[in-house]
């Protein structure tokens, strides 16, 4: 069983920076997709960034492209989201998600972090 523990949320002024961390415990398999999502009250959870272990590709939502960077430290089993030039509209609860395939012909096992509040003041 995998657990994801997030840290690094907080309050920052517009234009500032924050880094979110998501530390995994448990067994990780080679075939993985990591992602960061965010959610505001009354809205659906939206994916803001993702990265795949299969080819190292990274994808970003248009709203964060050029400002957010997703990265991973394999040794620490930790996923990061560096957020720069933050805007008030980035205010949300941010969640990390791991999808992994113990066997590539089976559906993925999916895990979520507990969420971290990011508040950007204007």
């Amino acid at each position: 069983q995998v657990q994801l523990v997030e840290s690094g949320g907080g309050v920052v002024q517009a234009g500032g920076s924050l880094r979110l961390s998501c530390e995994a415990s448990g067994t990780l398999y080679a075939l993985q997709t990591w992602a960061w999502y965010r959610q505001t009250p009354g809205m659906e959870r939206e994916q803001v960034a993702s990265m795949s272990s299969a080819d190292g590709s990274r994808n970003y939502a248009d709203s964060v492209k050029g400002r957010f960077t997703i990265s991973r430290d394999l040794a620490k089993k930790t996923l990061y989201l560096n957020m720069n030039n933050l805007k008030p509209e980035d205010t949300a609860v941010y969640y990390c998600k791991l999808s992994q395939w113990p066997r590539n012909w089976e559906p993925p096992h999916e895990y979520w972090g507990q969420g971290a509040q990011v508040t950007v003041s204007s």
Side-chain angles (χ1 to χ4, degrees):
Q1 187 71 359
V2 172
Q3 287 191 322
L4 304 179
V5 178
E6 297 183 39
S7 60
V11 180
V12 64
Q13 286 190 329
S17 300
L18 280 175
R19 186 175 79 163
L20 300 179
S21 300
C22 173
E23 184 174 1
S25 61
T27 300
L28 301 185
Y29 296 96
L31 188 55
Q32 306 167 344
T33 298
W34 288 91
W36 287 98
Y37 287 72
R38 67 187 181 187
Q39 188 171 27
T40 54
M43 301 295 288
E44 290 197 0
R45 199 170 290 187
E46 65 164 340
Q47 183 174 297
V48 297
S50 67
M51 66 185 301
S52 169
S53 67
D55 58 6
S57 61
R58 305 179 191 191
N59 294 284
Y60 298 92
D62 288 343
S63 58
V64 307
K65 208 170 287 184
R67 300 187 298 121
F68 289 14
T69 303
I70 187 172
S71 62
R72 184 180 58 161
D73 185 323
L74 288 173
K76 295 181 179 179
K77 297 168 71 172
T78 301
L79 179 75
Y80 300 100
L81 184 67
N82 284 286
M83 304 181 290
N84 297 316
N85 190 21
L86 282 160
K87 304 176 181 181
E89 52 264 41
D90 295 318
T91 296
V93 178
Y94 284 72
Y95 298 90
C96 58
K97 178 185 178 184
L98 167 65
S99 304
Q100 63 176 4
W101 290 258
R103 302 171 186 83
N104 59 9
W105 60 88
E106 294 179 351
H109 298 183
E110 297 182 338
Y111 308 93
W112 290 89
Q114 82 279 13
Q117 176 70 48
V118 171
T119 302
V120 184
S121 61
S122 56

